[in-house]
Amino acid sequence: MEQFTDAGMLALLGSGEYLDVMNEVDTYLLEARGGVVKESRVALLPTASGLEANGPNYWNGLGSSHFRRLGVKEVRATRILDHQSANDPEQVALLEESNLAYFSGGDPQHVIESMRDSEAWRRIEAAYRGGMSLAGCSAGAMAMGGFTLAIRDIRAGQEPRWTKALGLVPHIVVFPHFDRMRHWMGEELQKRIIASAPEGCVLVGIDENTALVRTYEPRDGRIATWRVMGQQSVTLFAANVEPRVFQAGAEIEL
């Protein structure tokens, strides 16, 4: 078994942020490295909904209620909604001494543009490397990978267009809500997407109400271990390899 590094847990969710279906996942993240839920501090980042009129208020309200029900000591609802606020000292200060930073859903490209080269992302990445857990749901999960794909463009009949994401897990591309996505993504389109993917990337389809949680960090050239948690499954795609489906409870080397 690999030994832990100092980095925290990382959870990529297909959907279900701040709902009871994710109680097990969130408790797991808060108890990582010997943490205690009732002594934890959680920072909420509604950045992905920063362009929506009431999106940030909605996600901050839902997240605050959720974590208080779990017994969390302190929930900090940030207003980090764009690149400017991601460099606001008052907002960045809300991230300090957090046990968990949580990105909710919305627009993945807006998360990436807001966070890239920002003080908030530098603090989050450094805190994560030092043991803080990190979660991203839907757009928040997509932003953590090496690249994102403009799914709306594909549905409109355009060719796959890849853009660089935040690169916390650079070899992964996340497709959230995958159980819904597979209904409209036929075999031919799936092949085109896989063929066009950046070299070395693994495409990860995460179903709704499901999380892929990194439990062990790669060390000394070894492969990271991930666990499927929640209600449904995770599907892995890579060039020249048949898709592999993993049900809740499965562990994956990725």
Side-chain angles (χ1 to χ4, degrees):
M1 182 181 291
E2 291 184 35
Q3 295 182 357
F4 284 116
T5 65
D6 291 333
M9 300 292 101
L10 174 63
L12 307 173
L13 285 74
S15 80
E17 69 267 63
Y18 309 151
L19 300 180
D20 288 346
V21 68
M22 285 297 148
N23 285 354
E24 179 188 9
V25 173
D26 294 339
T27 300
Y28 181 79
L29 296 173
L30 292 169
E31 291 179 344
R33 307 294 188 268
V36 178
V37 171
K38 291 184 178 180
E39 297 176 1
S40 298
R41 295 180 178 88
V42 176
L44 308 179
L45 292 114
T47 317
S49 63
L51 298 177
E52 302 171 18
N54 197 47
N57 290 336
Y58 171 79
W59 289 117
N60 277 342
L62 194 66
S64 296
S65 297
H66 169 72
F67 282 107
R68 288 193 181 108
R69 285 196 304 273
L70 289 180
V72 170
K73 173 184 177 181
E74 187 176 348
V75 184
R76 299 170 178 174
T78 78
R79 299 290 297 180
I80 298 177
L81 307 181
D82 52 24
H83 190 72
Q84 181 177 351
S85 52
N87 289 288
D88 181 337
E90 289 187 11
Q91 292 299 316
V92 173
L94 296 174
L95 303 172
E96 294 299 321
E97 299 182 349
S98 294
N99 302 84
L100 171 63
Y102 205 122
F103 285 87
S104 48
D107 181 343
Q109 195 58 38
H110 185 67
V111 182
I112 295 164
E113 292 170 358
S114 298
M115 285 289 145
R116 181 173 284 137
D117 298 324
S118 72
E119 184 60 25
W121 183 247
R122 283 190 284 273
R123 295 287 184 91
I124 289 168
E125 193 167 16
Y128 167 71
R129 298 297 178 194
M132 180 190 74
S133 291
L134 181 59
C137 185
S138 190
M142 295 174 74
M144 301 299 153
F147 294 85
T148 60
L149 184 65
I151 295 173
R152 291 177 184 174
D153 290 352
I154 289 178
R155 295 201 70 174
Q158 300 180 31
E159 288 300 307
R161 177 171 57 86
W162 302 89
T163 57
K164 283 191 175 181
L166 294 173
L168 196 68
V169 277
H171 65 299
I172 288 176
V173 175
V174 175
F175 292 97
H177 308 278
F178 191 69
D179 49 325
R180 284 201 291 163
M181 186 181 297
R182 67 165 61 95
H183 290 312
W184 58 263
M185 184 189 290
E187 185 176 347
E188 210 45 54
L189 176 56
Q190 180 177 298
K191 288 180 180 178
R192 281 167 47 211
I193 291 172
I194 294 170
S196 70
E199 186 176 357
C201 282
V202 178
L203 312 187
V204 180
I206 306 175
D207 290 349
E208 294 190 336
N209 296 330
T210 305
L212 183 61
V213 183
R214 185 162 64 185
T215 56
Y216 301 101
E217 277 276 334
R219 189 175 184 178
D220 300 330
R222 286 179 279 185
I223 299 172
T225 302
W226 299 73
R227 181 177 301 157
V228 181
M229 302 180 72
Q231 292 185 337
Q232 300 198 74
S233 62
V234 168
T235 306
L236 303 188
F237 301 87
N240 304 315
V241 178
E242 286 296 314
R244 293 177 293 161
V245 179
F246 299 87
Q247 302 298 327
E251 291 203 345
I252 307 169
E253 288 191 342
L254 183 58

